[in-house]
């Protein structure tokens, strides 16, 4: 059984929660395919895909399993610096991420701001924020259990993204695919709050100095 998704969702959300699935379905073996490109379901490169964005023009069968919202996060050590309140140092995406909506939004919203670190990996961006490089825009689920990061307020946020679970049209007729898809959807339903804005208020209000 091959499931394709992004590395953050695979490593930080799915893998830590799959033990009950294996206990309930020991006959099913899972392969998680984590690639920057969209692995093709039509060419049977994967059986299930978890992708951001509403596949309006797709022939695939799909259901929305989560809404991802975002926040700005930084390490306490960074926030203690006096200059952090005046000219925020940003962490963003590199030039290979031009198709990522959040990359475009960051560059447009913080045009003129200093980006001290860029990467096409949100995991690397999270690590950079944790190390005190600056401020990273992250999906809330990536920082939900990270005590080394603080949610902060820059006065603006990008739109939410929808996460969809996709199958080939004949996929729901295959018992192991149907069972796996239902189990994955249940995981997102159970932990839906991880993907929304935390109940705690941002610790700091920083000024967006980009104008």
């Amino acid at each position: 059984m091959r499931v394709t998704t992004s590395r953050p969702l695979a490593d930080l959300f799915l893998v830590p929660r799959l033990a009950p699935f294996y206990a309930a379905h020991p006959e099913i073996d899972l392969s998680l395919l984590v690639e920057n490109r969209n692995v093709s379901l039509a060419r049977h490169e994967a059986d299930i895909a978890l992708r951001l964005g509403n596949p309006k023009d797709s022939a695939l069968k799909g259901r929305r399993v989560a809404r991802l919202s975002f926040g700005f996060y930084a390490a306490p050590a960074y926030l203690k610096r006096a200059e952090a309140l005046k000219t925020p140092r940003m962490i963003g995406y590199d030039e290979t991420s031009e198709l990522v909506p959040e990359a475009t939004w960051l560059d447009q919203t913080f045009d003129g701001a200093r980006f001290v670190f860029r990467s096409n990996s949100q995991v690397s961006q999270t690590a950079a924020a944790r190390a005190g490089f600056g401020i990273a825009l992250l999906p809330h689920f990536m920082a939900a259990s990270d005590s080394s990061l603080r949610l902060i307020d820059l006065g603006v946020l990008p739109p939410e993204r929808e996460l969809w679970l996709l199958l080939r049209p004949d996929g729901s007729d295959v018992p192991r695919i149907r069972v796996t898809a239902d189990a994955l959807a249940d995981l997102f339903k159970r932990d839906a709050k991880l993907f929304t804005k935390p109940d705690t208020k941002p610790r700091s209000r920083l000024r967006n100095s980009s104008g």
Side-chain angles (χ1 to χ4, degrees):
M1 170 64 58
R2 292 162 297 178
V3 179
T4 180
T5 188
S6 67
R7 182 168 297 281
L9 278 170
D11 293 351
L12 301 180
F13 182 78
L14 290 179
V15 173
R17 291 168 173 80
L18 285 175
F21 173 82
Y22 277 108
H25 304 285
E27 76 284 2
I28 298 179
D29 297 328
L30 287 181
S31 294
L32 273 179
L33 309 179
V34 179
E35 298 192 32
N36 289 331
R37 71 181 181 90
N38 276 344
V39 175
S40 175
L41 296 182
R43 293 196 296 271
H44 292 253
E45 294 176 348
D47 303 299
I48 298 171
L50 289 163
R51 291 180 184 161
L52 290 171
N54 187 343
K56 294 179 180 179
D57 299 326
S58 174
L60 301 173
K61 294 183 65 174
R63 51 177 145 168
R64 189 183 67 206
V65 293
R67 289 182 182 271
L68 274 66
S69 58
F70 299 83
F72 288 101
Y73 288 88
Y78 169 79
L79 296 174
K80 289 179 181 178
R81 300 174 188 172
E83 66 269 21
L85 298 175
K86 298 178 181 179
T87 55
R89 292 164 40 144
M90 304 301 296
I91 294 167
Y93 293 82
D94 66 10
E95 64 277 2
T96 67
S97 307
E98 59 183 4
L99 298 181
V100 178
E102 291 74 43
T104 302
W105 183 89
L106 268 177
D107 286 341
Q108 292 176 348
T109 305
F110 293 89
D111 182 29
R114 182 183 176 190
F115 281 80
V116 298
F117 181 86
R118 291 181 180 271
S119 174
N120 65 346
S121 165
Q122 287 181 317
V123 174
S124 295
Q125 292 172 21
T126 304
R130 191 183 301 118
F133 292 8
I135 302 167
L137 176 70
L138 301 173
H140 288 305
F141 83 90
M142 293 187 66
S145 60
D146 195 331
S147 61
S148 64
L149 293 174
R150 297 291 182 269
L151 178 65
I152 60 177
D153 183 4
L154 292 182
V156 289
L157 285 172
E160 290 183 339
R161 300 281 301 280
E162 294 183 346
L163 180 68
W164 283 70
L165 187 152
L166 304 176
L167 307 172
R168 291 186 301 275
D170 60 348
S172 59
D173 295 329
V174 181
R176 64 188 178 87
I177 295 179
R178 183 179 66 251
V179 166
T180 305
D182 289 343
L184 293 177
D186 287 343
L187 287 181
F188 286 99
K189 182 178 180 180
R190 187 188 68 192
D191 289 325
K193 287 186 176 180
L194 284 179
F195 298 93
T196 60
K197 184 178 180 180
D199 294 333
T200 55
K201 294 183 179 180
R203 298 293 182 91
S204 304
R205 174 65 185 263
L206 302 187
R207 180 172 61 88
N208 176 2
S209 62
S210 63

